[in-house]
Amino acid sequence: MALLAIIRIRGTVDVPPDVEYTLRLLRLVRKFHCVLYPDNLEGIKGMLKKVEGWVTWGEIDRDTLIELLRVRGRVPGGKKLTDEYVKEKLGLSGIEELADKLLSGELMLHKLERVIKPVFRLHPPKGGFKKSAKKPIGSDGELGYRGAKINELLRRMI
């Protein structure tokens, strides 16, 4: 089981209604939003196939996940996610243990919606996109499945 980081790269203009609906189900309403889902979640592969022209995704590693939770993690009310908050609300030792539980599949971020916001708002990547944001990875673009290389992109966007 791996944890997928899914980032919306393209905006909201000229999106077909069925793709827009699927993006809304994934909670990717705006450009440069990121969500985390386990890859064994039922239906996730079909949803990614449907929206592959608007998003990029891959398996997130532990270090990048901890950095994402520390810097971009938010709780309801817009405050930052802290170790103290995780201890108080979830009874875990801190953000590192939360990251381990997310990666192992014991906890799912979208099920903790009332405790931690499931959507991470990111910056555009530092240095810009290296290729076209309108083409798939295979043909000189940024869209679609990129595997472990998602971590490089995430670090530039945090």
Side-chain angles (χ1 to χ4, degrees):
M1 205 230 44
L3 190 64
L4 295 177
I6 308 165
I7 305 171
R8 181 166 180 171
I9 289 184
R10 296 182 69 191
T12 57
V13 178
D14 289 338
V15 181
D18 57 333
V19 173
E20 190 172 341
Y21 178 70
T22 308
L23 286 165
R24 191 175 306 266
L25 289 176
L26 287 168
R27 294 186 170 103
L28 293 171
V29 182
R30 292 190 175 170
K31 198 171 171 182
F32 305 131
H33 277 191
C34 174
V35 291
L36 303 172
Y37 287 108
D39 66 346
N40 62 356
L41 198 65
E42 196 172 325
I44 198 79
K45 298 235 183 329
M47 292 171 99
L48 289 172
K49 186 79 178 141
K50 174 78 105 179
V51 299
E52 68 185 348
W54 279 262
V55 301
T56 187
W57 71 93
E59 294 85 15
I60 191 169
D61 64 22
R62 184 178 187 274
D63 295 336
T64 309
L65 178 57
I66 291 170
E67 188 179 346
L68 182 67
L69 289 168
R70 282 201 192 286
V71 179
R72 291 279 157 191
R74 294 287 182 265
V75 300
K79 293 192 170 80
K80 276 192 157 193
L81 181 66
T82 61
D83 286 321
E84 293 76 33
Y85 184 85
V86 171
K87 283 177 197 165
E88 179 190 326
K89 296 289 185 181
L90 298 172
L92 302 174
S93 65
I95 289 179
E96 273 98 14
E97 188 180 351
L98 173 63
D100 291 335
K101 294 227 185 255
L102 287 171
L103 286 168
S104 68
E106 292 176 51
L107 288 175
M108 293 187 200
L109 201 59
H110 63 281
K111 301 253 170 121
L112 299 172
E113 191 170 357
R114 299 203 187 286
V115 182
I116 302 169
K117 288 189 176 184
V119 177
F120 300 93
R121 301 178 329 180
L122 302 174
H123 289 292
K126 286 187 179 111
F129 288 114
K130 302 304 178 198
K131 299 172 182 166
S132 171
K134 296 180 179 180
K135 294 180 185 172
I137 289 269
S139 49
D140 286 339
E142 294 284 345
L143 301 169
Y145 177 73
R146 61 174 65 212
K149 291 187 178 166
I150 193 79
N151 296 300
E152 298 167 24
L153 179 64
L154 270 171
R155 286 184 188 278
R156 288 182 18 227
M157 294 178 85
I158 290 177

